[in-house]
């Protein structure tokens, strides 16, 4: 088989600045060892997120020029609405400025004290919006989904027995919706099978509970189904995605992921009553229902992006990039969450930095080491993000896993960037015993990973 190449050529380039190790050491210390505080200009390869960081195509830029900025009933809205309806099959589409705005609106309506919303794994903004409403966010991923070493084709699947049990225990009337995140970002970008989606749908609907997808990376999930699930090889990704949505009552979406947009999102429904409540909240916080916090041109960029993401040549290249990165580092012994996800490779910091105890933040330590060594910015998904300091004892309560996510922005980096990345990771791995642990010297009460200050601990 021939090399899977980037299925695009480059029309516009954006220079990246090569820094010295000495400069990076200073930037890191000025940032209190928190890479969120480092200027993007001082980052060579930015793998902090795949959200809003995609390169738009010439067709998307052309569509932006056609954007209609009318306040109400703009042509851009109708093009956007039709594109989302075509891909999802949902009749009612409400634009929002990004995924968490969709979540905030939906959970303000269906959340509230005494209620619970199960999912395979809620993303952190989803969990936060559920909890702010007073409801409980519950993760019911299969056990393999919590073990970085377990190999399973659909590690994002929900544990269906646990879902049945949970509905019995909590009572269907207290569960306003069942959610499922595709792909399961917090659990390593792992896919959910069609069989599992059907199973969740059957159980939820037997109890008259609506079923929603968090559809941020729906196309990557559909492509995993095509590659890994029996009976889907001959289907197109578009058909598979449509089938995924067909089992659901609606979705929340961040168009900053699988719609190649730099900003945007939407809510989709089948139920007009719910949609009309959502529109009322939309007008309060986001804008009129035909623009929902976006410019007309953004709606056009999303409409085109949603078509482009279903291009299977693109998806083949996308998965080839993550697989190539994963293969080249695992062959040299670097521990990752297996198998690699669609949008990212997650380094397993616990095994990478065996000498650093969990209360000294191995994920944070590895994130800093990658920046120092090669100007690479990843993100800690571990005890800094999901753990907390016990207010009584001052003790650190760690997260289940300490990972460093290297998320690949869409259509942005080439194979030589990935080759460089491999070199840097292997270099850091060779010297891993010298990576220091960290302690927190200042932290806010919520979402501490964005602003906490750290200090290396020399042992
Ligand atoms: N759901 C999932 C699964 C996500 O990954 C994200 C964002 C959201 C919801 C919220 O969407 O950012 O548009 O408000 N994930 C980004 C990330 C931030 O880096 O993984 P948003």
């Amino acid at each position: 088989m021939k090399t899977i190449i980037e299925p695009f050529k480059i029309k516009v380039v954006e220079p990246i600045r090569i820094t010295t190790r000495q400069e990076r050491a200073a930037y890191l210390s000025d940032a209190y060892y928190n890479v969120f505080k480092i200027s993007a200009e001082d980052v060579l390869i930015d793998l902090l997120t795949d959200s809003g960081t995609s390169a738009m195509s010439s067709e998307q830029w052309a569509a932006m020029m056609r954007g209609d900025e009318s306040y109400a009933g703009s042509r851009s809205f109708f093009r956007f609405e039709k594109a989302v309806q075509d891909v999802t099959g949902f009749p009612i589409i409400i634009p929002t400025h990004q995924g968490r705005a969709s979540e905030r609106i939906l959970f303000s309506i269906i959340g509230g004290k005494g209620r619970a919303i199960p999912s395979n794994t809620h993303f952190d903004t989803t969990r936060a919006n559920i909890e702010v409403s007073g409801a409980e966010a519950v993760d019911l991923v299969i056990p393999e989904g919590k073990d970085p070493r377990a190999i399973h084709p659909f590690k994002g699947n929900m544990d269906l027995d646990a879902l049945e049990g949970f509905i019995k225990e909590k009572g269907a009337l207290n569960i306003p919706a069942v959610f499922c995140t595709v792909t399961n970002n917090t659990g390593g970008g792992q896919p959910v099978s069609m069989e599992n989606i059907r199973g969740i749908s059957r159980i939820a609907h037997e109890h008259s509970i609506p079923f929603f997808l968090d559809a941020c990376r729906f196309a990557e999930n559909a492509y995993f189904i095509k590659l890994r699930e029996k009976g889907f090889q001959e289907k197109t990704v578009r058909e598979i995605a449509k089938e995924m949505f067909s089992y659901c009552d609606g979705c929340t979406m961040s168009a900053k992921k699988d719609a190649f947009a730099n900003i945007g999102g939407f809510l989709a429904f089948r139920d007009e009553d719910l949609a009309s409540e959502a529109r009322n909240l939309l007008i309060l916080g986001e804008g009129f229902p035909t623009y929902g916090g976006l410019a007309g041109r953004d709606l056009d960029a999303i409409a085109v992006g949603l078509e482009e993401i279903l291009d299977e040549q693109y998806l083949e290249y996308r998965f080839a990039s993550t697989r190539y990165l994963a293969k080249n580092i695992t062959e040299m012994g670097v521990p990752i969450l297996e198998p690699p996800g669609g949008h990212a490779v997650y380094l397993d910091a616990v095994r990478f930095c065996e000498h650093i105890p969990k209360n000294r933040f191995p994920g944070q330590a590895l994130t800093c080491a990658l920046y120092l060594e090669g100007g690479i910015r990843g993100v800690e998904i571990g005890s800094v993000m999901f753990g907390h300091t016990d207010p009584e004892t001052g003790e650190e309560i760690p997260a289940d896993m300490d990972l460093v996510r290297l998320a690949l922005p869409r259509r942005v980096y080439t194979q030589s960037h990935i080759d460089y990345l491999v070199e840097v990771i292997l270099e850091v791995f060779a010297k891993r015993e010298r990576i220091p642990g960290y302690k927190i010297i200042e932290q806010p009460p919520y979402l501490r990973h964005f602003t906490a200050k750290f200090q290396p601990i020399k042992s």
Side-chain angles (χ1 to χ4, degrees):
M1 203 172 88
K2 298 210 174 58
T3 304
I4 298 169
I5 60 168
E6 286 85 3
F8 48 81
K9 51 187 183 168
I10 296 164
K11 182 175 272 174
V12 177
V13 296
E14 189 180 345
I16 47 182
R17 194 167 77 86
I18 296 176
T19 48
T20 63
R21 188 188 182 88
Q22 207 180 359
E23 284 173 324
R24 290 193 296 271
Y27 298 143
L28 205 49
S29 127
D30 290 349
Y32 290 94
Y33 302 92
N34 185 338
V35 294
F36 280 101
K37 292 185 208 254
I38 292 178
S39 301
E41 194 190 22
D42 302 327
V43 175
L44 189 60
I45 299 194
D46 205 345
L47 308 180
L48 189 68
T49 180
D50 64 323
S51 178
T53 52
S54 296
M56 291 214 295
S57 66
S58 48
E59 286 304 318
Q60 283 181 293
W61 283 108
M64 286 188 87
M65 289 307 292
R66 284 191 293 273
D68 172 1
E69 305 304 340
S70 307
Y71 191 94
S74 91
R75 281 173 304 217
S76 298
F77 171 74
F78 295 112
R79 288 191 283 263
F80 160 85
E81 184 187 44
K82 181 167 184 318
V84 182
Q85 285 169 338
D86 283 352
V87 170
T88 64
F90 293 125
I92 308 168
I93 314 298
I94 298 178
T96 59
H97 84 274
Q98 64 183 84
R100 68 197 73 183
S102 308
E103 294 162 2
R104 188 171 166 77
I105 290 170
L106 182 63
F107 298 124
S108 310
I109 303 168
I110 67 170
K113 223 169 151 22
R115 298 186 168 177
I117 296 155
S119 183
N120 47 352
T121 313
H122 290 287
F123 183 65
D124 55 358
T125 59
T126 323
R127 168 173 288 278
N129 275 297
I130 292 172
E131 289 174 352
V132 162
S133 83
E136 191 191 347
V138 181
D139 295 339
L140 300 176
V141 74
I142 55 170
E144 290 90 335
K146 286 187 256 177
D147 175 359
R149 291 192 221 203
I151 301 282
H152 187 289
F154 292 101
K155 260 176 117 166
N157 280 357
M158 197 187 286
D159 183 334
L160 298 182
D161 291 338
L163 177 63
E164 294 257 28
F166 183 75
I167 295 174
K168 278 214 180 82
E169 178 200 315
K170 188 80 193 172
L173 289 175
N174 299 316
I175 303 176
V178 174
F179 252 73
C180 180
T181 313
V182 293
T183 57
N184 188 16
N185 184 12
T186 310
Q190 300 294 320
V192 179
S193 70
M194 192 72 87
E195 191 189 0
N196 195 250
I197 292 174
R198 279 190 210 117
I200 302 170
S201 174
R202 180 181 45 76
I203 295 169
H205 292 140
E206 269 169 17
H207 294 90
S208 305
I209 304 172
F211 172 34
F212 282 82
L213 281 187
D214 173 341
C216 293
R217 298 176 181 85
F218 74 96
E220 291 183 0
N221 199 83
Y223 193 55
F224 271 121
I225 289 176
K226 179 170 175 126
L227 296 181
R228 295 184 184 170
E229 191 163 349
K230 207 165 151 251
F232 287 94
Q233 283 63 45
E234 302 307 318
K235 298 216 158 122
T236 63
V237 169
R238 179 186 292 275
E239 287 165 342
I240 298 171
K242 194 90 171 253
E243 184 177 338
M244 284 162 47
F245 289 116
S246 75
Y247 300 117
C248 307
D249 301 283
C251 74
T252 55
M253 171 77 183
S254 167
K256 299 172 75 173
K257 283 86 170 170
D258 273 2
F260 289 123
N262 300 124
I263 193 72
F266 56 82
L267 270 164
F269 296 109
R270 297 191 198 282
D271 179 68
E272 183 47 52
D273 292 342
L274 196 52
S276 115
E277 277 191 75
R279 273 193 212 100
N280 290 336
L281 286 178
L282 186 84
I283 293 174
L284 268 182
E286 293 276 297
F288 190 72
T290 60
Y291 73 85
L294 294 169
R297 54 181 170 271
D298 298 323
L299 295 169
D300 270 304
I302 296 170
V304 176
L306 277 176
E307 287 294 316
E308 292 181 350
I309 201 77
L310 297 171
D311 173 355
E312 297 187 18
Q313 256 179 27
Y314 157 77
L315 287 164
E316 184 187 24
Y317 136 79
R318 170 89 171 145
F319 281 28
S321 308
T322 31
R323 251 197 337 263
Y324 179 81
L325 168 59
K327 178 172 175 287
N328 281 287
I329 57 176
T330 50
E331 273 177 2
M332 302 304 285
V334 175
I336 68 163
L337 188 149
E338 297 274 10
H343 70 298
V345 170
Y346 294 62
L347 304 177
D348 183 354
V350 171
R351 283 187 289 147
F352 197 114
C353 305
E354 276 172 339
H355 61 293
I356 303 178
K358 278 176 88 83
N359 64 357
R360 293 298 181 219
F361 307 113
Q364 187 65 21
L366 180 52
T367 305
C368 290
L370 290 171
Y371 177 75
L372 184 64
E373 186 65 40
I376 288 159
R377 176 157 68 174
V379 66
E380 192 261 13
I381 300 202
S383 298
V384 177
M385 194 180 271
F386 294 114
H388 63 276
T389 313
D390 186 311
E392 314 248 295
T393 61
E395 207 183 310
E396 272 304 319
I397 314 297
D400 286 343
M401 297 195 273
D402 281 277
L403 306 171
V404 175
R405 184 184 73 174
L406 304 172
L408 297 175
R410 294 168 185 75
R411 303 190 293 211
V412 170
Y413 294 116
T414 62
Q415 185 166 341
S416 67
H417 290 113
I418 309 268
D419 284 330
Y420 170 83
L421 185 60
V422 169
E423 286 164 19
V424 173
I425 295 169
L426 294 181
E427 196 74 40
V428 173
F429 190 57
K431 301 189 285 201
R432 61 190 178 281
E433 272 121 45
R434 280 188 257 157
I435 301 174
Y438 284 80
K439 68 175 180 190
I440 295 182
I441 54 171
E442 207 181 296
Q443 60 175 310
Y446 317 103
L447 295 171
R448 65 181 184 174
H449 53 287
F450 291 124
T451 53
K453 295 181 176 173
F454 298 86
Q455 200 175 62
I457 301 171
K458 310 248 172 345
S459 52

